[in-house]
Amino acid sequence: MSRRDAAALVRTARVRQGLTWAAIAQALDAPLVRTTAALLGQHPMSAEQAETACALLGLEDAVAEALQQQPARSIDPELLQDPTIYRFSEALAVYGPALKELIHEEFGDGIMSAINFKVDIARRAHPDGDRVVVTFDGKFLDYRW
């Protein structure tokens, strides 16, 4: 079974079981965003995590096996048709060059790791409507020439 097919089954089973992503992450004792990404095929899961998730969701062993495979990451052009994902890409298109310059100014010549990395999402109340707060927390990796 492909990771994409496994992800589709996970999405359907989550809704069918009436579970939130947070409830699944809690059952796995794992970070919310990383767990959700793993269940959507973007990170490998340990055998124990995959088996626990599939038991919770009522999914077969083939799904657990797919969730343990190392993903081949690429940007699927279909993703950019989703309004939320498009807004993230738009934000990076607008602010990415500025963030790069500011990282270089503050840290020197290097990049932010997306491997030694944490991401979190939160809601912040605001009088004009609630705010979405996304935090990227990546280790700075200096270029070593």
Side-chain angles (χ1 to χ4, degrees):
M1 173 177 303
S2 73
R3 294 182 68 76
R4 179 179 272 194
D5 291 343
L9 291 171
V10 165
R11 278 188 179 105
T12 301
R14 183 189 69 81
V15 171
R16 182 180 60 240
Q17 298 290 344
L19 293 169
T20 63
W21 293 111
I24 298 168
Q26 184 175 7
L28 298 176
D29 192 29
L32 174 60
V33 178
R34 188 185 194 292
T35 300
T36 305
L39 289 167
L40 296 177
Q42 294 301 311
H43 292 296
M45 300 184 89
S46 69
E48 182 182 343
Q49 287 176 323
E51 290 164 9
T52 300
C54 286
L56 188 64
L57 294 166
L59 295 171
E60 61 189 53
D61 291 344
V63 176
E65 292 165 3
L67 293 173
Q68 294 173 62
Q69 300 304 310
Q70 187 68 32
R73 295 180 185 100
S74 63
I75 297 175
D76 182 349
E78 276 187 40
L79 284 177
L80 296 178
Q81 294 177 13
D82 176 86
T84 302
I85 294 170
Y86 175 78
R87 290 294 179 247
F88 276 104
S89 66
E90 181 182 43
L92 286 175
V94 172
Y95 293 103
L99 291 170
K100 177 185 183 282
E101 290 293 324
L102 294 168
I103 288 169
H104 282 245
E105 184 173 272
E106 177 71 24
F107 294 92
D109 191 18
I111 61 172
M112 179 184 70
S113 175
I115 296 170
N116 189 337
F117 182 81
K118 293 180 183 178
V119 61
D120 199 11
I121 186 168
R123 176 188 295 245
R124 187 179 71 213
H126 191 277
D128 292 334
D130 288 355
R131 310 291 292 186
V132 177
V133 179
V134 179
T135 304
F136 287 173
D137 181 347
K139 179 181 179 181
F140 178 72
L141 303 173
D142 62 319
Y143 287 118
R144 298 182 184 186
W145 304 105

